[in-house]
Amino acid sequence: MMRRNGLTGVVLLVVCVLIVYMGYLMKDILTLQQRIEEEKKPEMLNGRPHIIMIGEVEDHLYWNIVRDAAKDYAQENELYLQYKGPRDSDPDEQLSILRRVIDVQPDGIIVQSLTEAFIPLIDEAISLDIPVITVDSDQPMSQRVSYVGTDNLLAGEAIAEDVLAHVDDVHAGIITGTYTNYHHQLRLEGFKEVIDQAGDASIVDVASSGIKRVNAREKAYQMMINHPEINVMLGISALDVLGITEAIDVLGREDIYVVGFDTLEENLQLLKQGKVQTLASQEPHQMGMKSMEIIEKIIQGESVPDVIHTNSQLVKDGSS
Ligand code: BGC
């Protein structure tokens, strides 16, 4: 009798656990459905194709330009665009956003694809018939339909050639946005390839800013203290030259040749003041517009090129 009571107790316990678990599952499903409905409110879409763009950061000098250009394109061409991104650069968070965006099943996804971890999700979206293109940073091994952005390898090479043309016996310090992001790696690779081929040039140290100006300043400061022989500093992501020049100001090392990426207004000021010698421009505005045009074409069934390189060139202060 005691044994039977014990058994009934266990069964009851299992049933209770199952009920609670099912409750949680239902809650998750309902929340997901609610989110999908909120994101795809028919009155918001108003018959327009729904496109979601995922950038590196939700609010950032560089990404705001990409986002605003994409929004302008959407407005002019009867498309509904949502822009999303993490608060700070965080590939894991960016992947979670991509995961949630796929659940919403929009008509097209434009994503800055940072690492190989993005490949399975991009491919999953494609298998669900959601066209995906990459912007700013590519993932050529995925099934994305097209890439819109800078030829990052070439830009890295061009900067190195500029350095070699202006500095003898190069000892370069580098602040990169990240070690892991594909486009930053390509820039570094291009720079390194050219520097390695020159007999009297070397890369002394590399540090990462996590694309933040304050980190770029601290890392550059420490690097120049540790390696006083450094005579060139390269900033690989948009805010790195801002941090580098602040560190140079503190150390009073005006002899250092500074090069970097992006012609943001703040960086152009540094060029004018002679604190930066060369910038590789990118076209975040063009990336926003063009990526929208390409995803629209794909949605309309048109074929598009595999890679669309936006313009990038070296911009100098005019005195060298
Ligand atoms: C890169 C972007 C990055 C930005 C950050 C740019 O050079 O292309 O991917 O988000 O720098 O500062």
Side-chain angles (χ1 to χ4, degrees), residues 169-213:
D169 199 13
V170 170
H171 295 283
I174 300 178
I175 303 295
T176 180
T178 63
Y179 297 117
T180 47
N181 293 357
Y182 184 64
H183 59 326
H184 294 156
Q185 286 177 339
L186 285 176
R187 291 175 196 176
L188 186 55
E189 196 181 311
F191 184 82
K192 196 169 172 313
E193 253 170 33
V194 174
I195 293 292
D196 285 350
Q197 277 165 21
D200 61 347
S202 64
I203 295 171
V204 176
D205 202 358
V206 184
S208 150
S209 65
I211 75 165
K212 284 194 169 171
R213 173 183 184 157

mmCIF file of all heavy atoms in Angstrom, residues 169-213:
data_model
loop_
_atom_site.group_PDB
_atom_site.id
_atom_site.type_symbol
_atom_site.label_atom_id
_atom_site.label_comp_id
_atom_site.label_asym_id
_atom_site.label_seq_id
_atom_site.Cartn_x
_atom_site.Cartn_y
_atom_site.Cartn_z
ATOM 1 N N ASP A 169 62.221 53.419 -43.012
ATOM 2 C CA ASP A 169 62.450 52.561 -41.865
ATOM 3 C C ASP A 169 61.193 52.492 -40.951
ATOM 4 O O ASP A 169 61.201 52.887 -39.782
ATOM 5 C CB ASP A 169 63.649 53.142 -41.075
ATOM 6 C CG ASP A 169 64.253 52.105 -40.155
ATOM 7 O OD1 ASP A 169 63.912 50.911 -40.315
ATOM 8 O OD2 ASP A 169 65.013 52.485 -39.247
ATOM 9 N N VAL A 170 60.118 51.969 -41.538
ATOM 10 C CA VAL A 170 58.802 51.978 -40.865
ATOM 11 C C VAL A 170 58.752 51.042 -39.652
ATOM 12 O O VAL A 170 59.102 49.859 -39.746
ATOM 13 C CB VAL A 170 57.694 51.546 -41.873
ATOM 14 C CG1 VAL A 170 56.371 51.312 -41.164
ATOM 15 C CG2 VAL A 170 57.555 52.563 -42.990
ATOM 16 N N HIS A 171 58.311 51.594 -38.507
ATOM 17 C CA HIS A 171 57.982 50.770 -37.336
ATOM 18 C C HIS A 171 56.530 51.110 -37.004
ATOM 19 O O HIS A 171 56.263 52.150 -36.396
ATOM 20 C CB HIS A 171 58.886 51.101 -36.148
ATOM 21 C CG HIS A 171 60.323 50.761 -36.406
ATOM 22 N ND1 HIS A 171 60.800 49.464 -36.362
ATOM 23 C CD2 HIS A 171 61.373 51.539 -36.735
ATOM 24 C CE1 HIS A 171 62.083 49.463 -36.650
ATOM 25 N NE2 HIS A 171 62.471 50.711 -36.885
ATOM 26 N N ALA A 172 55.628 50.231 -37.394
ATOM 27 C CA ALA A 172 54.202 50.590 -37.306
ATOM 28 C C ALA A 172 53.526 49.999 -36.074
ATOM 29 O O ALA A 172 53.711 48.824 -35.741
ATOM 30 C CB ALA A 172 53.485 50.116 -38.568
ATOM 31 N N GLY A 173 52.732 50.828 -35.415
ATOM 32 C CA GLY A 173 51.837 50.364 -34.356
ATOM 33 C C GLY A 173 50.417 50.392 -34.921
ATOM 34 O O GLY A 173 50.070 51.299 -35.674
ATOM 35 N N ILE A 174 49.630 49.392 -34.561
ATOM 36 C CA ILE A 174 48.278 49.310 -35.161
ATOM 37 C C ILE A 174 47.216 49.204 -34.078
ATOM 38 O O ILE A 174 47.316 48.385 -33.169
ATOM 39 C CB ILE A 174 48.179 48.081 -36.101
ATOM 40 C CG1 ILE A 174 49.210 48.204 -37.225
ATOM 41 C CG2 ILE A 174 46.769 47.957 -36.667
ATOM 42 C CD1 ILE A 174 49.245 47.022 -38.182
ATOM 43 N N ILE A 175 46.189 50.033 -34.207
ATOM 44 C CA ILE A 175 44.990 49.863 -33.382
ATOM 45 C C ILE A 175 43.899 49.362 -34.327
ATOM 46 O O ILE A 175 43.539 50.060 -35.282
ATOM 47 C CB ILE A 175 44.545 51.194 -32.723
ATOM 48 C CG1 ILE A 175 45.659 51.811 -31.876
ATOM 49 C CG2 ILE A 175 43.268 50.971 -31.895
ATOM 50 C CD1 ILE A 175 46.074 50.996 -30.660
ATOM 51 N N THR A 176 43.426 48.151 -34.065
ATOM 52 C CA THR A 176 42.360 47.616 -34.918
ATOM 53 C C THR A 176 41.046 47.641 -34.138
ATOM 54 O O THR A 176 41.057 47.641 -32.901
ATOM 55 C CB THR A 176 42.677 46.181 -35.386
ATOM 56 O OG1 THR A 176 41.601 45.710 -36.204
ATOM 57 C CG2 THR A 176 42.849 45.215 -34.222
ATOM 58 N N GLY A 177 39.924 47.669 -34.867
ATOM 59 C CA GLY A 177 38.624 47.644 -34.188
ATOM 60 C C GLY A 177 38.494 46.361 -33.382
ATOM 61 O O GLY A 177 38.183 46.369 -32.191
ATOM 62 N N THR A 178 38.753 45.227 -34.073
ATOM 63 C CA THR A 178 38.685 43.914 -33.416
ATOM 64 C C THR A 178 39.711 42.996 -34.077
ATOM 65 O O THR A 178 40.146 43.257 -35.191
ATOM 66 C CB THR A 178 37.309 43.243 -33.627
ATOM 67 O OG1 THR A 178 37.150 43.008 -35.038
ATOM 68 C CG2 THR A 178 36.167 44.080 -33.114
ATOM 69 N N TYR A 179 40.065 41.914 -33.397
ATOM 70 C CA TYR A 179 40.929 40.903 -34.017
ATOM 71 C C TYR A 179 40.097 39.938 -34.860
ATOM 72 O O TYR A 179 40.603 39.288 -35.756
ATOM 73 C CB TYR A 179 41.641 40.067 -32.946
ATOM 74 C CG TYR A 179 42.576 40.860 -32.067
ATOM 75 C CD1 TYR A 179 42.339 40.969 -30.697
ATOM 76 C CD2 TYR A 179 43.692 41.487 -32.600
ATOM 77 C CE1 TYR A 179 43.197 41.688 -29.882
ATOM 78 C CE2 TYR A 179 44.553 42.213 -31.789
ATOM 79 C CZ TYR A 179 44.293 42.310 -30.437
ATOM 80 O OH TYR A 179 45.142 43.026 -29.633
ATOM 81 N N THR A 180 38.825 39.818 -34.526
ATOM 82 C CA THR A 180 38.024 38.724 -35.092
ATOM 83 C C THR A 180 37.147 39.125 -36.283
ATOM 84 O O THR A 180 36.775 38.258 -37.067
ATOM 85 C CB THR A 180 37.084 38.161 -34.005
ATOM 86 O OG1 THR A 180 36.466 39.279 -33.355
ATOM 87 C CG2 THR A 180 37.846 37.335 -32.999
ATOM 88 N N ASN A 181 36.783 40.392 -36.406
ATOM 89 C CA ASN A 181 35.847 40.754 -37.470
ATOM 90 C C ASN A 181 36.513 40.649 -38.845
ATOM 91 O O ASN A 181 37.633 41.134 -39.048
ATOM 92 C CB ASN A 181 35.293 42.160 -37.265
ATOM 93 C CG ASN A 181 34.419 42.220 -36.023
ATOM 94 O OD1 ASN A 181 34.201 41.202 -35.376
ATOM 95 N ND2 ASN A 181 33.928 43.394 -35.705
ATOM 96 N N TYR A 182 35.777 40.037 -39.747
ATOM 97 C CA TYR A 182 36.324 39.690 -41.060
ATOM 98 C C TYR A 182 36.910 40.899 -41.792
ATOM 99 O O TYR A 182 38.021 40.845 -42.313
ATOM 100 C CB TYR A 182 35.200 39.033 -41.877
ATOM 101 C CG TYR A 182 35.630 38.531 -43.216
ATOM 102 C CD1 TYR A 182 36.572 37.512 -43.321
ATOM 103 C CD2 TYR A 182 35.092 39.056 -44.381
ATOM 104 C CE1 TYR A 182 36.973 37.040 -44.560
ATOM 105 C CE2 TYR A 182 35.483 38.593 -45.627
ATOM 106 C CZ TYR A 182 36.419 37.582 -45.710
ATOM 107 O OH TYR A 182 36.818 37.121 -46.932
ATOM 108 N N HIS A 183 36.156 42.018 -41.811
ATOM 109 C CA HIS A 183 36.643 43.171 -42.595
ATOM 110 C C HIS A 183 37.873 43.802 -41.949
ATOM 111 O O HIS A 183 38.774 44.272 -42.637
ATOM 112 C CB HIS A 183 35.529 44.187 -42.820
ATOM 113 C CG HIS A 183 34.908 44.757 -41.585
ATOM 114 N ND1 HIS A 183 34.733 44.053 -40.426
ATOM 115 C CD2 HIS A 183 34.419 45.992 -41.330
ATOM 116 C CE1 HIS A 183 34.163 44.809 -39.523
ATOM 117 N NE2 HIS A 183 33.966 46.004 -40.051
ATOM 118 N N HIS A 184 37.946 43.795 -40.612
ATOM 119 C CA HIS A 184 39.144 44.331 -39.948
ATOM 120 C C HIS A 184 40.345 43.431 -40.235
ATOM 121 O O HIS A 184 41.453 43.912 -40.458
ATOM 122 C CB HIS A 184 38.907 44.434 -38.433
ATOM 123 C CG HIS A 184 37.856 45.439 -38.071
ATOM 124 N ND1 HIS A 184 37.144 45.388 -36.903
ATOM 125 C CD2 HIS A 184 37.392 46.526 -38.734
ATOM 126 C CE1 HIS A 184 36.288 46.397 -36.864
ATOM 127 N NE2 HIS A 184 36.414 47.089 -37.959
ATOM 128 N N GLN A 185 40.088 42.137 -40.240
ATOM 129 C CA GLN A 185 41.180 41.197 -40.552
ATOM 130 C C GLN A 185 41.714 41.441 -41.965
ATOM 131 O O GLN A 185 42.913 41.428 -42.196
ATOM 132 C CB GLN A 185 40.678 39.757 -40.457
ATOM 133 C CG GLN A 185 40.476 39.293 -39.033
ATOM 134 C CD GLN A 185 39.898 37.881 -38.962
ATOM 135 O OE1 GLN A 185 39.302 37.397 -39.917
ATOM 136 N NE2 GLN A 185 40.057 37.242 -37.828
ATOM 137 N N LEU A 186 40.797 41.681 -42.910
ATOM 138 C CA LEU A 186 41.231 41.897 -44.295
ATOM 139 C C LEU A 186 42.079 43.167 -44.416
ATOM 140 O O LEU A 186 43.083 43.200 -45.130
ATOM 141 C CB LEU A 186 40.020 42.032 -45.224
ATOM 142 C CG LEU A 186 39.279 40.750 -45.573
ATOM 143 C CD1 LEU A 186 38.056 41.069 -46.425
ATOM 144 C CD2 LEU A 186 40.188 39.785 -46.333
ATOM 145 N N ARG A 187 41.678 44.213 -43.707
ATOM 146 C CA ARG A 187 42.441 45.470 -43.758
ATOM 147 C C ARG A 187 43.852 45.243 -43.230
ATOM 148 O O ARG A 187 44.836 45.686 -43.816
ATOM 149 C CB ARG A 187 41.742 46.551 -42.921
ATOM 150 C CG ARG A 187 40.440 47.001 -43.533
ATOM 151 C CD ARG A 187 39.694 47.971 -42.637
ATOM 152 N NE ARG A 187 38.310 48.064 -43.088
ATOM 153 C CZ ARG A 187 37.363 48.764 -42.496
ATOM 154 N NH1 ARG A 187 37.644 49.451 -41.415
ATOM 155 N NH2 ARG A 187 36.143 48.790 -42.977
ATOM 156 N N LEU A 188 43.912 44.537 -42.101
ATOM 157 C CA LEU A 188 45.208 44.257 -41.478
ATOM 158 C C LEU A 188 46.049 43.373 -42.393
ATOM 159 O O LEU A 188 47.250 43.609 -42.592
ATOM 160 C CB LEU A 188 44.963 43.565 -40.128
ATOM 161 C CG LEU A 188 46.166 43.307 -39.241
ATOM 162 C CD1 LEU A 188 46.935 44.590 -38.986
ATOM 163 C CD2 LEU A 188 45.719 42.719 -37.900
ATOM 164 N N GLU A 189 45.415 42.396 -42.986
ATOM 165 C CA GLU A 189 46.126 41.466 -43.882
ATOM 166 C C GLU A 189 46.715 42.227 -45.072
ATOM 167 O O GLU A 189 47.871 42.030 -45.435
ATOM 168 C CB GLU A 189 45.107 40.435 -44.374
ATOM 169 C CG GLU A 189 45.684 39.181 -44.983
ATOM 170 C CD GLU A 189 44.546 38.275 -45.456
ATOM 171 O OE1 GLU A 189 43.597 38.023 -44.660
ATOM 172 O OE2 GLU A 189 44.590 37.849 -46.627
ATOM 173 N N GLY A 190 45.903 43.107 -45.668
ATOM 174 C CA GLY A 190 46.375 43.894 -46.818
ATOM 175 C C GLY A 190 47.560 44.760 -46.424
ATOM 176 O O GLY A 190 48.582 44.816 -47.121
ATOM 177 N N PHE A 191 47.458 45.421 -45.280
ATOM 178 C CA PHE A 191 48.526 46.297 -44.796
ATOM 179 C C PHE A 191 49.793 45.474 -44.562
ATOM 180 O O PHE A 191 50.885 45.821 -45.009
ATOM 181 C CB PHE A 191 48.069 46.974 -43.499
ATOM 182 C CG PHE A 191 49.040 47.985 -42.955
ATOM 183 C CD1 PHE A 191 49.081 49.287 -43.462
ATOM 184 C CD2 PHE A 191 49.923 47.650 -41.938
ATOM 185 C CE1 PHE A 191 49.976 50.228 -42.957
ATOM 186 C CE2 PHE A 191 50.823 48.575 -41.432
ATOM 187 C CZ PHE A 191 50.843 49.871 -41.940
ATOM 188 N N LYS A 192 49.616 44.343 -43.887
ATOM 189 C CA LYS A 192 50.747 43.502 -43.496
ATOM 190 C C LYS A 192 51.474 42.944 -44.728
ATOM 191 O O LYS A 192 52.696 42.982 -44.803
ATOM 192 C CB LYS A 192 50.212 42.354 -42.629
ATOM 193 C CG LYS A 192 51.257 41.630 -41.858
ATOM 194 C CD LYS A 192 50.596 40.710 -40.839
ATOM 195 C CE LYS A 192 51.593 39.810 -40.147
ATOM 196 N NZ LYS A 192 52.556 39.117 -40.970
ATOM 197 N N GLU A 193 50.681 42.465 -45.697
ATOM 198 C CA GLU A 193 51.265 41.898 -46.932
ATOM 199 C C GLU A 193 52.272 42.851 -47.545
ATOM 200 O O GLU A 193 53.388 42.476 -47.885
ATOM 201 C CB GLU A 193 50.145 41.728 -47.972
ATOM 202 C CG GLU A 193 49.719 40.320 -48.230
ATOM 203 C CD GLU A 193 48.453 40.307 -49.067
ATOM 204 O OE1 GLU A 193 48.252 41.207 -49.919
ATOM 205 O OE2 GLU A 193 47.633 39.394 -48.836
ATOM 206 N N VAL A 194 51.851 44.125 -47.689
ATOM 207 C CA VAL A 194 52.698 45.112 -48.355
ATOM 208 C C VAL A 194 53.896 45.472 -47.473
ATOM 209 O O VAL A 194 55.029 45.551 -47.956
ATOM 210 C CB VAL A 194 51.870 46.370 -48.720
ATOM 211 C CG1 VAL A 194 52.756 47.480 -49.275
ATOM 212 C CG2 VAL A 194 50.781 46.005 -49.715
ATOM 213 N N ILE A 195 53.662 45.639 -46.184
ATOM 214 C CA ILE A 195 54.755 45.998 -45.265
ATOM 215 C C ILE A 195 55.798 44.871 -45.227
ATOM 216 O O ILE A 195 57.003 45.118 -45.256
ATOM 217 C CB ILE A 195 54.191 46.275 -43.838
ATOM 218 C CG1 ILE A 195 53.335 47.532 -43.827
ATOM 219 C CG2 ILE A 195 55.309 46.345 -42.794
ATOM 220 C CD1 ILE A 195 54.063 48.836 -44.058
ATOM 221 N N ASP A 196 55.312 43.621 -45.198
ATOM 222 C CA ASP A 196 56.241 42.485 -45.119
ATOM 223 C C ASP A 196 57.143 42.383 -46.344
ATOM 224 O O ASP A 196 58.252 41.853 -46.275
ATOM 225 C CB ASP A 196 55.460 41.164 -44.959
ATOM 226 C CG ASP A 196 54.926 41.013 -43.548
ATOM 227 O OD1 ASP A 196 55.310 41.818 -42.682
ATOM 228 O OD2 ASP A 196 54.099 40.107 -43.312
ATOM 229 N N GLN A 197 56.625 42.878 -47.476
ATOM 230 C CA GLN A 197 57.429 42.784 -48.707
ATOM 231 C C GLN A 197 58.529 43.839 -48.757
ATOM 232 O O GLN A 197 59.501 43.704 -49.489
ATOM 233 C CB GLN A 197 56.527 42.941 -49.932
ATOM 234 C CG GLN A 197 55.851 41.630 -50.302
ATOM 235 C CD GLN A 197 54.701 41.850 -51.256
ATOM 236 O OE1 GLN A 197 54.637 42.881 -51.925
ATOM 237 N NE2 GLN A 197 53.793 40.905 -51.307
ATOM 238 N N ALA A 198 58.352 44.919 -47.981
ATOM 239 C CA ALA A 198 59.361 45.987 -47.994
ATOM 240 C C ALA A 198 60.475 45.583 -47.028
ATOM 241 O O ALA A 198 60.210 45.162 -45.907
ATOM 242 C CB ALA A 198 58.726 47.292 -47.562
ATOM 243 N N GLY A 199 61.694 45.737 -47.442
ATOM 244 C CA GLY A 199 62.828 45.264 -46.647
ATOM 245 C C GLY A 199 62.942 45.935 -45.286
ATOM 246 O O GLY A 199 63.153 45.276 -44.270
ATOM 247 N N ASP A 200 62.747 47.265 -45.250
ATOM 248 C CA ASP A 200 63.060 47.995 -44.018
ATOM 249 C C ASP A 200 61.804 48.418 -43.251
ATOM 250 O O ASP A 200 61.758 49.481 -42.647
ATOM 251 C CB ASP A 200 63.888 49.236 -44.365
ATOM 252 C CG ASP A 200 63.112 50.158 -45.289
ATOM 253 O OD1 ASP A 200 62.071 49.701 -45.836
ATOM 254 O OD2 ASP A 200 63.513 51.317 -45.463
ATOM 255 N N ALA A 201 60.748 47.592 -43.284
ATOM 256 C CA ALA A 201 59.512 47.995 -42.600
ATOM 257 C C ALA A 201 58.996 46.856 -41.736
ATOM 258 O O ALA A 201 59.095 45.690 -42.118
ATOM 259 C CB ALA A 201 58.456 48.375 -43.628
ATOM 260 N N SER A 202 58.439 47.205 -40.580
ATOM 261 C CA SER A 202 57.891 46.135 -39.734
ATOM 262 C C SER A 202 56.687 46.625 -38.937
ATOM 263 O O SER A 202 56.520 47.837 -38.723
ATOM 264 C CB SER A 202 58.958 45.628 -38.766
ATOM 265 O OG SER A 202 59.316 46.668 -37.882
ATOM 266 N N ILE A 203 55.865 45.653 -38.510
ATOM 267 C CA ILE A 203 54.747 45.969 -37.613
ATOM 268 C C ILE A 203 55.215 45.607 -36.207
ATOM 269 O O ILE A 203 55.592 44.465 -35.937
ATOM 270 C CB ILE A 203 53.490 45.170 -38.001
ATOM 271 C CG1 ILE A 203 53.021 45.622 -39.388
ATOM 272 C CG2 ILE A 203 52.390 45.356 -36.966
ATOM 273 C CD1 ILE A 203 51.917 44.781 -39.982
ATOM 274 N N VAL A 204 55.174 46.599 -35.316
ATOM 275 C CA VAL A 204 55.743 46.403 -33.988
ATOM 276 C C VAL A 204 54.721 45.813 -33.025
ATOM 277 O O VAL A 204 55.023 44.941 -32.232
ATOM 278 C CB VAL A 204 56.242 47.778 -33.452
ATOM 279 C CG1 VAL A 204 56.750 47.642 -32.034
ATOM 280 C CG2 VAL A 204 57.297 48.351 -34.365
ATOM 281 N N ASP A 205 53.480 46.283 -33.106
ATOM 282 C CA ASP A 205 52.473 45.825 -32.139
ATOM 283 C C ASP A 205 51.066 46.074 -32.697
ATOM 284 O O ASP A 205 50.869 46.987 -33.513
ATOM 285 C CB ASP A 205 52.646 46.601 -30.820
ATOM 286 C CG ASP A 205 52.034 45.861 -29.639
ATOM 287 O OD1 ASP A 205 51.452 44.777 -29.836
ATOM 288 O OD2 ASP A 205 52.123 46.383 -28.506
ATOM 289 N N VAL A 206 50.121 45.263 -32.257
ATOM 290 C CA VAL A 206 48.710 45.429 -32.660
ATOM 291 C C VAL A 206 47.859 45.337 -31.395
ATOM 292 O O VAL A 206 48.076 44.459 -30.564
ATOM 293 C CB VAL A 206 48.257 44.313 -33.641
ATOM 294 C CG1 VAL A 206 46.830 44.564 -34.120
ATOM 295 C CG2 VAL A 206 49.197 44.187 -34.828
ATOM 296 N N ALA A 207 46.902 46.248 -31.248
ATOM 297 C CA ALA A 207 45.967 46.164 -30.108
ATOM 298 C C ALA A 207 44.570 46.482 -30.606
ATOM 299 O O ALA A 207 44.397 47.085 -31.664
ATOM 300 C CB ALA A 207 46.388 47.152 -29.021
ATOM 301 N N SER A 208 43.581 46.066 -29.820
ATOM 302 C CA SER A 208 42.203 46.263 -30.285
ATOM 303 C C SER A 208 41.465 47.316 -29.451
ATOM 304 O O SER A 208 41.600 47.364 -28.230
ATOM 305 C CB SER A 208 41.471 44.917 -30.224
ATOM 306 O OG SER A 208 40.107 45.128 -29.986
ATOM 307 N N SER A 209 40.669 48.124 -30.145
ATOM 308 C CA SER A 209 39.914 49.192 -29.472
ATOM 309 C C SER A 209 38.467 48.800 -29.194
ATOM 310 O O SER A 209 37.751 49.545 -28.532
ATOM 311 C CB SER A 209 39.896 50.447 -30.359
ATOM 312 O OG SER A 209 39.176 50.168 -31.558
ATOM 313 N N GLY A 210 38.036 47.655 -29.762
ATOM 314 C CA GLY A 210 36.612 47.316 -29.645
ATOM 315 C C GLY A 210 35.745 48.403 -30.274
ATOM 316 O O GLY A 210 34.629 48.650 -29.827
ATOM 317 N N ILE A 211 36.264 49.057 -31.296
ATOM 318 C CA ILE A 211 35.708 50.192 -32.057
ATOM 319 C C ILE A 211 35.336 51.393 -31.182
ATOM 320 O O ILE A 211 34.509 52.206 -31.560
ATOM 321 C CB ILE A 211 34.564 49.802 -33.041
ATOM 322 C CG1 ILE A 211 33.236 49.505 -32.352
ATOM 323 C CG2 ILE A 211 34.947 48.656 -33.957
ATOM 324 C CD1 ILE A 211 32.061 49.498 -33.344
ATOM 325 N N LYS A 212 35.980 51.522 -30.014
ATOM 326 C CA LYS A 212 35.680 52.668 -29.139
ATOM 327 C C LYS A 212 36.864 53.625 -29.087
ATOM 328 O O LYS A 212 38.013 53.193 -28.882
ATOM 329 C CB LYS A 212 35.372 52.176 -27.739
ATOM 330 C CG LYS A 212 33.986 51.582 -27.623
ATOM 331 C CD LYS A 212 33.611 51.435 -26.192
ATOM 332 C CE LYS A 212 32.134 51.103 -26.077
ATOM 333 N NZ LYS A 212 31.776 50.741 -24.742
ATOM 334 N N ARG A 213 36.555 54.910 -29.190
ATOM 335 C CA ARG A 213 37.576 55.945 -29.186
ATOM 336 C C ARG A 213 38.414 55.930 -27.898
ATOM 337 O O ARG A 213 39.635 56.032 -27.932
ATOM 338 C CB ARG A 213 36.847 57.280 -29.350
ATOM 339 C CG ARG A 213 37.685 58.481 -29.208
ATOM 340 C CD ARG A 213 36.778 59.690 -29.331
ATOM 341 N NE ARG A 213 37.509 60.918 -29.309
ATOM 342 C CZ ARG A 213 37.039 62.051 -29.827
ATOM 343 N NH1 ARG A 213 35.868 62.067 -30.397
ATOM 344 N NH2 ARG A 213 37.748 63.143 -29.768
#
